[in-house]
């Protein structure tokens, strides 16, 4: 079973719309870390956020916000007032403290923001 | 230069060629990673080095040979590759591996090398 599921393969929105990218994870660990990365067309994965399992506070950084819900094993990412530069593939990832040695990535969500 | 750099950015090679990918990090990190990114598949971890010592080899074929001469540099030597090895190869670094070798530190990625094997 996949450890990280990003069910949305592709999303298209019109500029200035809000968009939420879903991430559902699976782990038996009580201590784990969740990440979001952005991969623009240039190819480089750009780190966006790291969150540990004990910190359920939602976080906001400019137009970006993250909603961490342990009860539903979800770590969703919302972009407010989307811009064309937000067009990219977004990856959610999970690292377990005591589980297998790996950073488990989802398959990514391709976001296209239409001007 | 800052961050993680990779050269070359693009590489086309025949199945009998030998080539090397280079990664350099300028972040003062001690752990470095190679990933393979193929279309429609999750990123696949290939190799991990922590303080120049290889700690992970995820059943990668021997036609891929990593080398880590110091904590700032990582190479991936390629020989007799197959067309299915065509992919984006990403290098990453992190502060180091946590106690027990887990990947809880943030990894910072380079721009990748787009490899095409003919």
């Amino acid at each position: 079973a996949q450890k990280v599921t990003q069910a949305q393969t592709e999303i298209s929105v019109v500029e200035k719309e809000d968009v939420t990218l879903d991430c559902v994870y699976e782990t038996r660990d009580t201590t784990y870390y969740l990440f979001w990365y952005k991969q623009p067309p240039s190819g480089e994965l750009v780190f966006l956020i790291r969150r540990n399992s004990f910190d359920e506070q939602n976080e906001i950084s400019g137009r970006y916000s993250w909603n961490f819900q342990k009860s539903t094993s979800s770590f969703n990412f919302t972009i407010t007032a989307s811009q064309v530069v937000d067009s990219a593939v977004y990856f959610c990832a999970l690292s377990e403290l005591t589980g297998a040695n790996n950073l488990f990535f989802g398959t990514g969500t391709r976001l296209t923001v239409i001007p | 230069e800052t961050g993680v750099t990779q050269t070359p950015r693009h590489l086309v090679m025949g199945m009998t060629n030998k080539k090397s990918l280079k990664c350099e990090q300028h972040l003062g990190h001690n752990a470095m990673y190679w990933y393979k990114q193929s279309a429609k598949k999750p990123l696949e971890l290939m190799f991990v080095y922590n303080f120049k010592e290889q700690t992970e080899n995820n059943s990668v074929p021997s036609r891929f040979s990593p080398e880590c001469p110091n904590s700032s540099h990582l190479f991936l030597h390629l020989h007799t590759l197959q067309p299915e090895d065509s992919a984006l190869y990403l290098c990453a670094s992190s502060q180091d591996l946590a106690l027990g070798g887990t990947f809880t530190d943030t990894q910072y990625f380079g721009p990748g090398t787009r490899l095409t094997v003919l």
Side-chain angles (χ1 to χ4, degrees):
Chain A
Q2 265 190 293
K3 290 246 183 200
V4 178
T5 300
Q6 294 179 257
Q8 305 150 306
T9 305
E10 297 192 29
I11 300 176
S12 292
V13 298
V14 177
E15 200 170 20
K16 297 185 183 174
E17 286 184 348
D18 299 347
V19 59
T20 295
L21 309 182
D22 298 333
C23 173
V24 175
Y25 61 91
E26 180 185 327
T27 181
R28 293 181 178 177
D29 270 24
T30 54
T31 304
Y32 52 89
Y33 292 78
L34 295 163
F35 303 80
W36 274 96
Y37 285 88
K38 172 184 179 180
Q39 187 176 39
S42 58
E44 178 178 354
L45 268 78
V46 177
F47 166 72
L48 296 178
I49 190 170
R50 171 180 181 258
R51 174 55 54 86
N52 77 56
S53 52
F54 296 107
D55 183 3
E56 283 194 77
Q57 267 196 321
N58 291 329
E59 180 154 341
I60 298 175
S61 176
R63 296 185 296 107
Y64 295 171
S65 61
W66 289 269
N67 184 356
F68 179 24
Q69 299 270 353
K70 284 179 79 168
S71 59
T72 55
S73 297
S74 65
F75 187 44
N76 296 337
F77 172 34
T78 297
I79 302 174
T80 304
S82 58
Q83 300 176 3
V84 173
V85 293
D86 296 327
S87 297
V89 182
Y90 290 86
F91 291 93
C92 180
L94 163 75
S95 173
E96 299 164 318
L97 190 63
T98 58
N101 285 351
N102 210 334
L103 182 61
F104 298 97
F105 283 86
T107 50
T109 297
R110 180 177 298 279
L111 173 66
T112 302
V113 181
I114 304 165
Chain B
E1 294 218 51
T2 58
V4 181
T5 59
Q6 290 186 244
T7 55
R9 294 294 309 275
H10 300 271
L11 178 63
V12 179
M13 58 187 289
M15 291 194 288
T16 58
N17 291 159
K18 289 184 181 181
K19 297 286 185 184
S20 295
L21 309 184
K22 178 183 176 182
C23 174
E24 183 172 2
Q25 58 92 3
H26 308 268
L27 300 169
H29 290 164
N30 295 300
M32 296 187 78
Y33 311 76
W34 279 117
Y35 286 88
K36 176 183 179 183
Q37 186 178 29
S38 306
K40 304 197 186 302
K41 293 174 70 174
L43 269 75
E44 301 172 56
L45 180 67
M46 299 175 72
F47 301 105
V48 182
Y49 280 83
N50 195 37
F51 292 95
K52 302 189 297 178
E53 298 297 319
Q54 186 175 314
T55 60
E56 295 284 338
N57 175 342
N58 270 1
S59 304
V60 180
S62 59
R63 57 185 183 271
F64 294 92
S65 174
E67 178 190 1
C68 188
N70 55 61
S71 291
S72 298
H73 293 85
L74 184 65
F75 295 89
L76 188 63
H77 303 300
L78 316 171
H79 63 99
T80 59
L81 294 192
Q82 305 297 312
E84 59 264 30
D85 296 322
S86 298
L88 180 68
Y89 288 85
L90 291 161
C91 173
S93 72
S94 68
Q95 187 59 49
D96 53 48
L97 296 189
L99 190 65
T102 53
F103 301 173
T104 53
D105 277 346
T106 298
Q107 294 181 28
Y108 294 89
F109 286 79
T113 295
R114 174 72 61 187
L115 173 67
T116 302
V117 181
L118 301 176

